[in-house]
Amino acid sequence: MLQEKYFPDISIPIEFHVRPIRQGKGPHFNKFDFETRCKIIDDVYDIVNNCGFPNLIPFATVMDISAVKNSDQVCRDCFEDVCQNFNLYLYDQYKQGFPNKGLLVIDRGRERQYRQHFGELKKSEAVKEYLGNIVDIPYFAACKETRLLQVADFISNAVFRYYEWDVTDNFDKISSLFFQGSYLYPVKRLNHITRDESCQCCACN
Ligand SMILES: [Zn+2]
């Protein structure tokens, strides 16, 4: 276990988030030098990648500035897109004989914002159809209490660095996770919303 490797004396779960680790912030990670902190981050991405399909199946949607109207619209449209792709994935699995349903678990720190977005999605007749395989309500959890939300933070940060700064070190370690699995339908687990039709990113190609 990664925590045991770097914090052998601490038995309660420590929260792993990529930015505080990289910047050496907080009471746990500020005692390590930059090289060691980068190694911790590398180790997390190795663990994520080693999970492989179908144990860990990431979804991410990125919006290019060419499609942005305002910050609220970016968040809502990307959330809607992830929900649609997650639902399409579940539908595809159903058609392949794996009738599983999905559940949304969201960072409690963003609860108000996502409750509003989800409420708007549920009101839309067109979008309702996209949510057919996502059951119940979204659940909000504290990041520090669930490793899965911490994994989501690492994945989204790798995607962010790839698209925003063209830095691929972390993304290269996990990018294959987005493309593993075979589908009957065109499931886009990594989606790039852009008006640039000549985009050469790995999601558009
Ligand atoms: Zn693209």
Side-chain angles (χ1 to χ4, degrees), residues 163 192 194 199-201 203-204:
Y163 277 95
H192 188 205
T194 177
C199 181
Q200 294 296 310
C201 81
C204 293

Side-chain angles (χ1 to χ4, degrees), residues 16-190:
F16 281 68
H17 282 288
V18 62
R19 278 186 182 161
I21 298 175
R22 186 172 282 120
Q23 294 166 358
K25 288 186 176 169
H28 298 302
F29 295 99
N30 60 5
K31 66 176 181 177
F32 296 112
D33 59 28
F34 182 69
E35 203 171 88
T36 307
R37 298 199 309 272
C38 288
K39 181 75 177 71
I40 295 171
I41 291 170
D42 269 355
D43 285 356
V44 173
Y45 283 112
D46 284 339
I47 291 170
V48 169
N49 185 50
N50 288 338
C51 284
F53 186 91
N55 301 310
L56 195 155
I57 305 168
F59 291 78
T61 295
V62 180
M63 183 175 284
D64 184 75
I65 192 71
S66 61
V68 170
K69 294 176 191 145
N70 57 63
S71 60
D72 209 40
Q73 165 256 344
V74 173
C75 185
R76 187 185 60 241
D77 289 359
C78 288
F79 178 56
E80 180 180 334
D81 195 69
V82 168
C83 288
Q84 288 182 13
N85 289 320
F86 181 34
N87 186 69
L88 182 59
Y89 166 78
L90 291 166
Y91 181 69
D92 185 278
Q93 293 296 291
Y94 169 75
K95 288 291 185 184
Q96 295 193 55
F98 304 104
N100 295 310
K101 295 292 184 185
L103 196 65
L104 296 174
V105 180
I106 299 171
D107 176 7
R108 188 182 287 163
R110 308 284 180 93
E111 181 167 352
R112 182 182 296 186
Q113 185 180 19
Y114 278 92
R115 274 198 188 284
Q116 188 175 341
H117 293 328
F118 195 72
E120 288 170 13
L121 297 189
K122 293 286 271 188
K123 276 187 216 157
S124 161
E125 287 301 320
V127 172
K128 257 186 201 169
E129 292 177 23
Y130 293 125
L131 301 177
N133 292 289
I134 300 174
V135 296
D136 211 352
I137 57 170
Y139 285 87
F140 294 91
C143 277
K144 64 180 180 185
E145 289 170 6
T146 163
R147 290 283 184 226
L148 276 180
L149 284 179
Q150 294 166 36
V151 167
D153 173 67
F154 274 81
I155 291 172
S156 64
N157 191 271
V159 172
F160 172 80
R161 284 160 62 86
Y162 169 59
Y163 277 95
E164 186 68 15
W165 299 325
D166 208 16
V167 176
T168 59
D169 50 356
N170 300 149
F171 184 74
D172 283 348
K173 279 186 174 252
I174 54 136
S175 60
S176 66
L177 283 173
F178 286 107
F179 305 105
Q180 292 167 0
S182 59
Y183 302 109
L184 304 172
Y185 297 87
V187 178
K188 293 195 93 173
R189 300 214 322 264
L190 176 63

